[in-house]
Amino acid sequence: MSQQRHILVTGGAGYIGSHMTLALLAAGERPLVIDDLSAGLRSAVPAEVPFFLGDFGNADFVGEIMDRYPVEAVIHFAASVVVPDSVANPLAYYANNTVNARTLIECVVRHAIPHFVFSSTAAVYGEPEVTPVVEDQATDPINPYGRSKLMVEWMLADVAKAHPLSYAALRYFNVAGADPQGRAGQSSPNATHLIKIAVQAALGKRAGMEVYGTDYPTADGSCIRDYVHVSDLAQAHLDALNYLRGGGPSLTCNLGDATGYSVLEVIDVVKRVSGVDFDVRLKPRRAGDPATLVASNQRARTMLGWTPRYGDLETIVRHALAWERGL
Ligand code: UDP
């Protein structure tokens, strides 16, 4: 029993990472969390989980943790994630998302850690020509965020050929919602993601909201995205971990619900579920946004045995609202 190795979660105090830590504990795993608290909250990490405050791109800091604890896998969430910021400040995105990830992967190789689960993104596809997107479609990111993540996928592919490492690169579509039991959610007051913003508007925490672009080639002119519940996403990482443990070869896999909603449709659902008709202002396009991103999730279902449980947009919005109310 004492031989059970640890799962190191970078960004474990953040939005997705905190749900991951809960899922790991529920599955009887032994998580360790690294977070610099630039976006995460110390209180989001359960007290029984060893917590290390610092930078996942600092080889000495990470190496010391790996010397001290036997680690079976790294699940790497820590990253900069705001598309328009990446357009304004690309070097910061390449430093944090790409260069620091390279250092982390080097630590993994040095410590002969056998598995790595990577938070990649649907942004690696750019403007996909065919929808829903399958993983074999060409990658052609249209913003620095997507490129900063795609380079890590390439590194992992090369490293896994040269060293005994298997990995899962999980391409997230739009992650939203909160823990169904109300233990975790998106806490950052400066979050920029659509459902968080709409829920804040519904609760009067902001004076309405803006829609970035109504002239896209979509039915209502606003962008279409595929919203996946954060707890389903965490479950997919557990499924990926078990797949790699079982000897499954490295894989790249979409994580989405395979259903697209436009920005205006999402806002309608938030208004309906909350019962609040908040102010919505139509604005020009935001930099870096593709028109439509919807996943095929067939690979995750067949290769990982993943079954999303909370895919329905109303459920996602209900959980996001419940969390936001409690903040
Ligand atoms: N969006 C919007 N208003 C907002 C936030 C987002 O219209 O206040 C739009 C954004 O332009 C994009 C979609 O909602 O078309 C999803 O954006 P988000 O930032 O949530 O995720 P992304 O797809 O960029 O990762």
Side-chain angles (χ1 to χ4, degrees):
M1 197 53 204
S2 59
Q3 292 306 309
Q4 188 187 8
R5 285 181 291 168
H6 294 269
I7 309 299
L8 179 62
V9 181
T10 72
Y15 171 46
I16 304 174
S18 59
H19 290 79
M20 186 73 241
T21 305
L22 291 174
L24 286 165
L25 288 175
E29 303 286 352
R30 301 175 73 193
L32 306 170
V33 166
I34 290 181
D35 203 297
D36 67 359
L37 300 183
S38 58
L41 290 177
R42 177 67 183 90
S43 58
V45 184
E48 69 262 42
V49 175
F51 174 79
F52 305 93
L53 176 66
D55 176 3
F56 73 88
N58 177 335
D60 293 338
F61 168 68
V62 172
E64 254 171 51
I65 298 166
M66 291 174 173
D67 287 341
R68 236 167 94 196
Y69 294 86
V71 173
E72 184 191 7
V74 172
I75 308 184
H76 175 43
F77 293 102
S80 306
V81 299
V82 180
V83 168
D85 283 358
S86 81
V87 176
N89 200 353
L91 291 173
Y93 274 67
Y94 292 125
N96 196 33
N97 293 359
T98 314
V99 177
N100 285 346
R102 196 213 71 88
T103 303
L104 177 67
I105 295 166
E106 188 167 50
C107 291
V108 165
V109 169
R110 281 215 180 115
H111 286 80
I113 293 170
H115 309 303
F116 194 90
V117 180
F118 174 55
S119 301
S120 189
T121 169
V124 300
Y125 294 114
E127 291 273 10
E129 277 173 18
V130 183
T131 244
V133 194
V134 293
E135 292 84 349
D136 295 333
Q137 234 158 285
T139 50
D140 188 12
I142 60 168
N143 52 55
Y145 171 63
R147 279 192 272 272
S148 72
K149 291 276 187 172
L150 182 56
M151 284 193 271
V152 180
E153 287 195 12
W154 289 341
M155 275 195 272
L156 285 169
D158 292 336
V159 170
K161 280 184 199 136
H163 302 280
L165 174 79
S166 67
Y167 72 90
L170 304 178
R171 294 177 175 166
Y172 307 166
F173 284 65
N174 288 60
V175 187
D179 176 49
Q181 297 176 49
R183 298 166 300 173
Q186 192 161 32
S187 299
S188 163
N190 325 315
T192 59
H193 290 120
L194 177 66
I195 290 183
K196 173 84 177 179
I197 299 269
V199 157
Q200 287 179 328
L203 296 180
K205 294 188 180 186
R206 58 171 69 235
M209 62 173 294
E210 299 179 335
V211 173
Y212 302 130
T214 49
D215 61 345
Y216 284 96
T218 60
D220 65 21
S222 65
C223 288
I224 292 177
R225 294 287 182 276
D226 179 341
Y227 296 89
V228 54
H229 193 290
V230 63
S231 298
D232 283 335
L233 196 86
Q235 180 59 45
H237 291 65
L238 268 182
D239 295 340
L241 180 64
N242 287 324
Y243 161 88
L244 295 173
R245 277 175 171 156
S250 297
L251 96 170
T252 300
C253 201
N254 289 342
L255 293 181
D257 194 61
T259 319
Y261 292 93
S262 75
V263 172
L264 294 171
E265 284 172 333
V266 170
I267 292 172
D268 277 349
V269 171
V270 175
K271 286 186 172 182
R272 184 153 35 82
V273 173
S274 66
V276 182
D277 184 14
F278 49 86
D279 184 39
V280 175
R281 299 172 293 274
L282 306 183
K283 292 285 174 180
R285 294 182 181 198
R286 194 179 73 168
D289 280 340
T292 301
L293 273 177
V294 180
S296 159
N297 60 19
Q298 224 30 63
R299 185 179 287 180
R301 287 175 181 275
T302 53
M303 300 293 289
L304 305 181
W306 181 55
T307 314
R309 294 172 60 197
Y310 307 108
D312 160 58
L313 185 59
E314 285 201 19
T315 305
I316 291 176
V317 166
R318 215 164 12 85
H319 291 164
L321 267 167
W323 175 257
E324 192 68 35
R325 262 196 205 101
L327 278 180

